[in-house]
Amino acid sequence: MSELSSNTQQLISIKTSADDTAGKLGAPNTRLLCADKVNAASKLEIFFESADVSAGLKNDHELISFLGAVFDLSPYIFDLAIQFPEVLLECAQAGYHKAIKTSLDRLKQPFNTEQELMKALRYAKRQAALICGLADLGGWWSAAEVSRQISCTADVTLQAAVDFILLDAHNKGKLSLSDVETPSFGSGYTVLAMGKHGAGELNYSSDIDIIVLFDPLAEAVLDPDESVALFVRLTKSLVRIMQERTEHGYVFRTDLRLRPDPGSMPLAIPINVAMNYYESRGQNWERAAMIKARVAAGDNVVGEAMLHELTPFIWRRYLDYAAIADVHSIKRQIQSHRGYTALSVPGHNVKLGRGGIREIEFFVQTQQLIAGGRIPALRGKRTVDTLSDLVEHGWIEEKVRDDLCCSYGFLRDVEHRIQMVADAQTHTLPEDETNLLVIARLCGFEEISCFSDALINHLHRVEEHYGALFEEAPELGEECGNLSFTGDDDDPNTVETLARMGFERPSSIISIVRAWHFGRYPAMQSSDARERLTELTPALLTALADAGKGDEALLAFDEFLKGLPRGFQLFSLLNANPQLLSLLVRILGAAPRLAQVITRRPHVFDGLLEPGFFNNSPSQDQICEGLARSLKQARDYEDGLNRARIFVDEQRFLIGIRVLSETLDPKDAGIAFTDLAEVMLRAMVDWVRVPFEEAHGRVPSASFSLLAMGNFGTRELTASSDLDLVMLYEYAPEDEYSDGPKSLHASQYFGRFTQRLIAAMGAPTSDGIIYEMDFRLRPSGNAGPIATSLRAFTQYYEESAWTWENLALTRARPVAGDGKFGGRVNQVISDLLAQPRDHNPLAKDILEMRLLMDKERPAGDTWDVKLSKGGLIDVEFIAQWLVLTGKASRGGSTAELLESLDQTDENAVLLNAHHTYSRVLQLLRLCLGQSSPLVDAPKELAKIVLRLLDFPDMNSAEAFMKETQQSVRKIFLKRLK
């Protein structure tokens, strides 16, 4: 079988000690007191009855007393002693080191079947647990030696399992091994031990963290293209062999989550893929984790070469501000608490909790990350050894080393004893007194109080040195508790902090935040962006929690991050302007449509920083100035259109922000959106006209006017509105053709110009569109020419227009083109609307048209305020009918028309209904676009709607909406029947 790696051989090198040379161990070096003498005596009796070892032990009364206490306090070790009495006897007679060596040497033989291997591995692990437990509790081995031997056991069992699966693959023709006696050699398959395993510091019931790598070009690999699938299958077998529970127990729980990007990478990773990851996306905490990495099993040559290549990633040669910032970044991820508030021993996690083992390890690793690049002597893997190295090179004081070494040994002892009770992978002290007394006794204390005093002293000592590590490091902001998202363990204090903040699934939140730092999203691929997000995370979590439904809000932010092309700029902006963070959370929680804009163009937030932004909306003149500045920088025609697309998208967003921040009433948003549309339309008319006239010239004496229809005409556009338009023109009879190089007849000229304008405004690109333009309200609709002469337009409305077309005409107004001609058009429209009409047929047509809409375009629900029976269309039809019958004047918005009517009860109902509908519609279109209102909408949006309508809950608000719609429909039917 394969030789153990050089690292493992160093790990299991045994110094000559008393227990190796003395034939018998003699008295234990610690005084262990049982918790229940009756139970201890009973278990001793059971042990001696089940095992023929009394001759070797019965005369050593101190040893028997010790075993009684062990059996009483640790049911797990008692069960192991019952199963392997011969091992216990060998420990007493030959020494603990020889006993564990004898046990592990049995794994160096070849195994014929997987079942035979699995049984042998499990026996070896359980025997090692018995030997280490007794040696630890008896004081023969220190915590460091216990950890070393458990780590050796992990290495040897791993190597045996790796050899077996490789040889099995060779026998099945999947690999071609060069030497079946040493299967790992030349296989290209290597296993890196990480964390405590890599450092030789495994705890008593530890799982093992490994990274499995392979070289697809290794000699043993038959088909490099199939190598990933092959080695993933082998790795699955390896994990199953190591951790599957059988009647013989398990070997080690095996965790591969420390591999690069575990959410997307295979279980076994090609060497080149892993290197690319570390070089481009490796994180700060991964640098720290790789300090302890070593080859534990498999192809030692491949593993060592990989670690050698990683040296520049782990160890930065120069101590510069960037390196220090990286280390600070790790610290900000690890811990945000300050001060030494009271610590409670019951329920305290001695690994991850305050003042725990993790803080000592991190204390060492941060010093290594800063200085190890220039001082190779500081690149050690073992915590205590490295503390001494740091003293030798002047990085810490001797007292700091002595304090931390002492506390580290004490805490590791406590950790081992917590796990010895029942072989549970836990680091948390029991909360009840009975079980806590067991741990205290295992640690050599008679009373819980004495144990607690000693533990708290160590925790405070560690916390003091840890807190002083980066006293000048930038703070995370307002204290909110512990927040740690590194590694793969859920920090218990972070779980507690998140739960206290209001998150319902803290572990899921930790997983999501941890995943951000793997750089899977484009926004997170730069280290600068990840560092900025690290700094932002506490404030972000606070804002998300304060918004209510923090879990849902975090998921929305995660979706936002997925689509964000770059993160550094936005994260920096949010860090510098906390008020923008709250606004972003509101956007994500209520307005997916606006969130898409930020995703495409995060710099739109810059506009919010302008003084007075929230005080008022920009005028048309101000919008014109901004657009002109942007177009002036255009390199050519297409670049100008792209700039226009970006400009209009940003301006719509900024209007929406004013609405969402409740500084602009939704009913006033219609004017702001319309002002923007008019400016854009006029600017694009001029932009398109220049190249068009270069090609086709002008039609002498001709004029044109673009007529706004629908909501554009009444200045009631929403964030998602199209522009309803009609193109009108006229020319003198003697000027039928344009005067350019490619002369066109006037009708053709204005038709092509309109088509060119439609293409410029509505052509979709990566920057979106300017506006979708709809010309279906022109005479004869799609059957008519795209541009209409004023004469034909007038004749059509005088002779052929349908009722619905006359209704639409009541909302028409010129918005672009030749001003003087637009005035003439406006007068023509007034004259057409003033023609006498028979009111009864008109009312009948309108009623039939509305009832047909009810049938063919029914409302989605009560909140579909436009199409609902008694909704916005009913109010608008009444207003348009009043204009056609001469009972109201044309001009302005629907609300202005209703305000001009006599103040009767019915008119007040219509005005109030229009006010409510338009505000709700503006908000829904802003946040959701054209999707069905409030169906599966974000809960934050529902809250804003309730504030808008001043209702406490959705049931009350919906009842109000239904009542309003019923009242409006009643008035509609009364007036039109």
Side-chain angles (χ1 to χ4, degrees):
M1 302 300 285
S2 295
E3 291 296 322
L4 296 174
S5 73
S6 58
N7 286 315
T8 302
Q9 291 175 17
Q10 291 175 15
L11 196 63
I12 62 176
S13 61
I14 303 171
K15 294 180 292 184
T16 302
S17 59
D19 70 306
D20 292 313
T21 56
K24 189 174 180 181
L25 293 180
N29 296 326
T30 61
R31 181 167 173 262
L32 196 67
L33 299 175
C34 58
D36 186 329
K37 292 183 179 180
V38 174
N39 184 54
S42 174
K43 288 192 172 182
L44 277 172
E45 184 177 350
I46 294 172
F47 172 70
F48 284 119
E49 286 179 356
S50 65
D52 187 18
V53 295
S54 58
L57 300 175
K58 65 180 181 179
N59 294 327
D60 193 332
H61 298 294
E62 286 190 78
L63 183 59
I64 290 176
S65 176
F66 163 72
L67 290 176
V70 172
F71 294 166
D72 170 45
L73 297 171
S74 174
Y76 177 61
I77 294 180
F78 172 69
D79 289 342
L80 294 177
I82 292 292
Q83 184 178 7
F84 303 110
E86 72 283 359
V87 173
L88 191 153
L89 183 60
E90 184 176 7
C91 290
Q93 294 180 338
Y96 288 89
H97 279 120
K98 289 183 179 178
I100 199 166
K101 184 177 185 300
T102 299
S103 176
L104 294 178
D105 281 347
R106 297 189 185 105
L107 298 179
K108 294 182 180 180
Q109 61 180 318
F111 295 94
N112 296 319
T113 66
E114 186 177 281
Q115 290 73 21
E116 182 184 334
L117 168 73
M118 291 176 68
K119 179 179 179 180
L121 292 177
R122 281 152 181 76
Y123 273 19
K125 165 62 188 304
R126 291 172 72 83
Q127 289 170 6
L130 173 61
I131 295 167
C132 291
L134 292 173
D136 189 355
L137 292 173
W140 289 290
W141 284 358
S142 66
E145 184 61 21
V146 172
S147 295
R148 190 196 309 273
Q149 295 300 331
I150 295 171
S151 301
C152 290
T153 303
D155 285 4
V156 175
T157 53
L158 261 178
Q159 185 63 63
V162 167
D163 282 342
F164 181 86
I165 61 174
L166 290 174
L167 188 58
D168 185 59
H170 171 81
N171 292 335
K172 292 177 179 177
K174 303 298 184 181
L175 287 173
S176 178
L177 300 177
S178 59
D179 183 359
V180 295
E181 296 297 322
T182 56
S184 290
F185 179 76
S187 67
Y189 185 80
T190 189
V191 180
L192 299 185
M194 304 295 291
K196 286 186 170 66
H197 185 193
E201 297 174 334
L202 284 178
N203 50 62
Y204 188 76
S205 295
S206 182
D207 56 6
I208 55 174
D209 293 298
I210 62 173
I211 296 177
V212 177
L213 303 162
F214 68 91
D215 180 3
L217 301 180
E219 291 182 8
V221 178
L222 298 174
D223 185 352
D225 292 337
E226 297 295 325
S227 59
V228 173
L230 170 64
F231 286 118
V232 165
R233 286 197 300 272
L234 294 184
T235 302
K236 288 180 178 179
S237 296
L238 174 66
V239 172
R240 179 175 50 76
I241 288 170
M242 293 296 291
Q243 72 176 22
E244 184 178 274
R245 288 184 179 272
T246 70
E247 69 272 22
H248 305 298
Y250 68 101
V251 191
F252 285 93
R253 292 172 291 267
T254 306
D255 195 334
L256 288 95
R257 288 178 295 172
L258 286 183
R259 70 188 187 277
D261 198 358
S264 59
M265 291 280 193
L267 295 179
I269 305 172
I271 293 284
N272 61 320
V273 173
M275 285 302 303
N276 287 338
Y277 169 85
Y278 287 121
E279 289 172 355
S280 62
R281 293 192 285 156
Q283 301 172 58
N284 293 316
W285 69 264
E286 287 175 307
R287 289 180 61 212
M290 292 304 292
I291 290 175
K292 296 178 182 290
R294 64 177 177 82
V295 181
D299 193 328
N300 190 53
V301 174
V302 168
E304 292 293 348
M306 169 73 178
L307 291 175
H308 178 73
E309 277 195 76
L310 276 177
T311 298
F313 165 70
I314 306 170
W315 308 110
R316 298 186 178 177
R317 184 174 180 183
Y318 300 106
L319 178 57
D320 57 17
Y321 290 107
I324 295 173
D326 275 348
V327 178
H328 283 177
S329 177
I330 299 176
K331 183 174 189 293
R332 287 194 294 272
Q333 291 181 57
I334 290 285
Q335 207 86 15
S336 66
H337 71 72
R338 284 289 187 273
Y340 308 120
T341 53
L343 283 165
S344 176
V345 170
H348 189 78
N349 188 307
V350 297
K351 175 185 177 183
L352 302 175
R354 288 170 49 194
I357 296 167
R358 173 67 62 85
E359 292 192 357
I360 301 174
E361 294 170 339
F362 183 74
F363 179 97
V364 171
Q365 289 167 348
T366 52
Q367 308 298 304
Q368 289 180 286
L369 285 176
I370 290 175
R374 294 179 301 119
I375 308 174
L378 296 181
R379 299 179 185 179
K381 301 184 187 305
R382 296 179 64 81
T383 303
V384 170
D385 294 344
T386 306
L387 281 167
S388 294
D389 294 336
L390 289 169
V391 171
E392 184 177 341
H393 288 84
W395 279 85
I396 61 173
E397 300 292 332
E398 289 187 9
K399 183 181 186 308
V400 175
R401 176 200 60 194
D402 295 343
D403 285 350
L404 291 181
C405 285
C406 178
S407 295
Y408 186 75
F410 182 88
L411 293 172
R412 293 307 303 269
D413 277 341
V414 174
E415 178 184 45
H416 287 166
R417 282 146 181 76
I418 291 172
Q419 296 173 352
M420 283 177 188
V421 174
D423 189 34
Q425 173 60 352
T426 180
H427 311 272
T428 302
L429 287 161
E431 297 194 7
D432 62 288
E433 285 194 9
T434 300
N435 289 315
L436 189 57
L437 178 61
V438 169
I439 304 301
R441 289 287 176 88
L442 282 170
C443 291
F445 293 89
E446 293 189 36
E447 304 292 338
I448 292 177
S449 59
C450 297
F451 168 68
S452 296
D453 289 344
L455 177 61
I456 287 175
N457 285 336
H458 283 288
L459 295 176
H460 277 163
R461 180 189 296 171
V462 172
E463 195 173 31
E464 179 180 357
H465 291 306
Y466 179 80
L469 181 59
F470 285 117
E471 289 183 338
E472 303 303 320
E475 287 299 327
L476 283 170
E478 185 175 346
E479 297 297 330
C480 55
N482 212 56
L483 288 173
S484 170
F485 302 102
T486 60
D488 62 332
D489 292 317
D490 284 357
D491 173 36
N493 290 331
T494 299
V495 172
E496 180 183 339
T497 297
L498 292 172
R500 188 172 63 248
M501 292 170 73
F503 291 98
E504 297 176 359
R505 299 180 297 279
S507 289
S508 297
I509 300 304
I510 292 172
S511 296
I512 291 172
V513 175
R514 186 184 292 132
W516 292 344
H517 296 276
F518 282 111
R520 294 176 198 152
Y521 304 161
M524 307 300 299
Q525 288 183 355
S526 79
S527 59
D528 287 342
R530 292 196 295 271
E531 186 177 325
R532 290 295 178 274
L533 185 57
T534 295
E535 296 170 356
L536 181 65
T537 297
L540 171 65
L541 292 172
T542 300
L544 292 170
D546 289 347
K549 297 291 181 182
D551 298 70
E552 295 177 13
L554 185 78
L555 288 174
F557 186 80
D558 184 58
E559 286 297 316
F560 165 68
L561 282 185
K562 285 181 184 178
L564 196 64
R566 294 170 300 278
F568 178 78
Q569 180 186 22
L570 179 61
F571 301 151
S572 298
L573 181 66
L574 295 175
N575 268 313
N577 300 274
Q579 71 276 14
L580 295 186
L581 180 59
S582 298
L583 186 56
L584 174 61
V585 169
R586 175 175 286 192
I587 293 169
L588 295 174
R593 189 173 180 276
L594 291 180
Q596 291 174 4
V597 179
I598 310 172
T599 301
R600 290 196 306 271
R601 282 186 278 279
H603 66 269
V604 294
F605 260 174
D606 293 349
L608 278 61
L609 302 178
E610 295 180 5
F613 170 84
F614 291 104
N615 295 337
N616 49 59
S617 296
S619 65
Q620 281 200 13
D621 288 342
Q622 291 172 317
I623 298 173
C624 279
E625 291 174 6
L627 179 59
R629 284 194 300 270
S630 181
L631 293 177
K632 189 175 181 180
Q633 300 173 31
R635 298 183 299 274
D636 51 34
Y637 177 79
E638 289 298 333
D639 186 45
L641 294 182
N642 284 332
R643 289 176 179 274
R645 293 179 185 113
I646 294 171
F647 181 86
V648 72
D649 207 21
E650 292 176 353
Q651 293 302 313
R652 275 192 292 243
F653 171 82
L654 295 176
I655 294 170
I657 289 297
R658 291 183 175 95
V659 174
L660 206 60
S661 62
E662 301 177 34
T663 58
L664 177 67
D665 193 290
K667 69 181 177 61
D668 297 324
I671 297 173
F673 284 123
T674 304
D675 284 344
L676 175 62
E678 288 184 24
V679 168
M680 297 305 302
L681 179 62
R682 291 169 190 153
M684 289 302 98
V685 165
D686 292 339
W687 194 257
V688 171
R689 180 188 284 183
V690 173
F692 188 81
E693 290 182 351
E694 287 177 356
H696 303 290
R698 295 188 177 189
V699 178
S701 73
S703 301
F704 75 92
S705 179
L706 280 162
L707 202 61
M709 308 292 285
N711 288 335
F712 192 14
T714 53
R715 298 175 62 78
E716 296 171 315
L717 290 179
T718 68
S720 60
S721 290
D722 298 339
L723 303 185
D724 292 307
L725 292 161
V726 172
M727 169 65 89
L728 299 177
Y729 65 89
E730 73 172 3
Y731 59 93
E734 65 274 14
D735 296 324
E736 291 187 87
Y737 289 89
S738 65
D739 56 11
K742 298 178 181 179
S743 182
L744 297 171
H745 186 274
S747 59
Q748 192 179 20
Y749 180 94
F750 287 108
R752 287 198 184 178
F753 178 75
T754 304
Q755 293 287 8
R756 188 72 61 86
L757 181 63
I758 292 172
M761 293 279 278
T765 70
S766 59
D767 292 313
I769 65 171
I770 302 174
Y771 280 101
E772 199 74 57
M773 300 172 72
D774 192 337
F775 282 80
R776 289 176 295 176
L777 291 178
R778 65 186 185 271
S780 300
N782 288 338
I786 195 71
T788 308
S789 70
L790 181 59
R791 181 178 59 81
F793 177 84
T794 304
Q795 184 178 357
Y796 179 85
Y797 273 95
E798 288 177 341
E799 300 174 0
S800 308
W802 296 76
T803 297
W804 68 267
E805 290 176 308
N806 283 311
L807 288 174
L809 193 62
T810 65
R811 310 176 79 183
R813 67 184 177 91
V815 289
D818 304 314
K820 188 174 181 181
F821 179 61
R824 285 189 56 215
V825 170
N826 197 47
Q827 184 58 52
V828 168
I829 293 172
S830 295
D831 293 342
L832 289 171
L833 293 174
Q835 290 179 345
R837 290 175 173 82
D838 189 337
H839 293 186
N840 290 334
L842 178 63
K844 181 181 178 183
D845 285 349
I846 296 173
L847 180 60
E848 289 177 353
M849 186 165 50
R850 182 67 185 99
L851 295 178
L852 182 63
M853 291 178 68
D854 287 341
K855 181 179 179 181
E856 295 185 350
R857 296 176 60 194
D861 60 12
T862 303
W863 296 99
D864 191 346
V865 295
K866 183 175 181 180
L867 294 175
S868 292
K869 296 177 181 179
L872 190 59
I873 288 179
D874 291 49
V875 178
E876 291 175 344
F877 273 14
I878 292 173
Q880 294 160 25
W881 177 74
L882 291 172
V883 173
L884 287 179
T885 56
K887 297 177 181 178
S889 299
R890 163 181 164 266
S893 66
T894 304
E896 290 171 336
L897 187 151
L898 294 172
E899 288 170 352
S900 70
L901 301 177
D902 295 337
Q903 294 304 300
T904 65
D905 290 343
E906 286 187 353
N907 289 341
V909 169
L910 294 175
L911 181 60
N912 290 333
H914 184 272
H915 178 73
T916 298
Y917 295 156
S918 62
R919 297 173 86 207
V920 171
L921 184 66
Q922 284 286 353
L923 194 59
L924 297 180
R925 290 288 188 265
L926 171 67
C927 297
L928 303 176
Q930 297 290 347
S931 59
S932 182
L934 289 188
V935 175
D936 298 325
K939 290 182 172 57
E940 180 63 24
L941 176 56
K943 291 181 182 179
I944 297 174
V945 171
L946 290 176
R947 285 199 299 272
L948 184 72
L949 300 178
D950 196 22
F951 279 97
D953 54 66
M954 290 304 295
N955 289 335
S956 303
E958 190 164 339
F960 166 75
M961 294 298 292
K962 288 180 179 179
E963 182 181 347
T964 301
Q965 290 163 3
Q966 290 169 0
S967 299
V968 170
R969 178 49 69 102
K970 184 177 180 181
I971 296 171
F972 177 80
L973 295 175
K974 175 182 175 183
R975 294 198 179 184
L976 293 172
K977 276 190 176 181

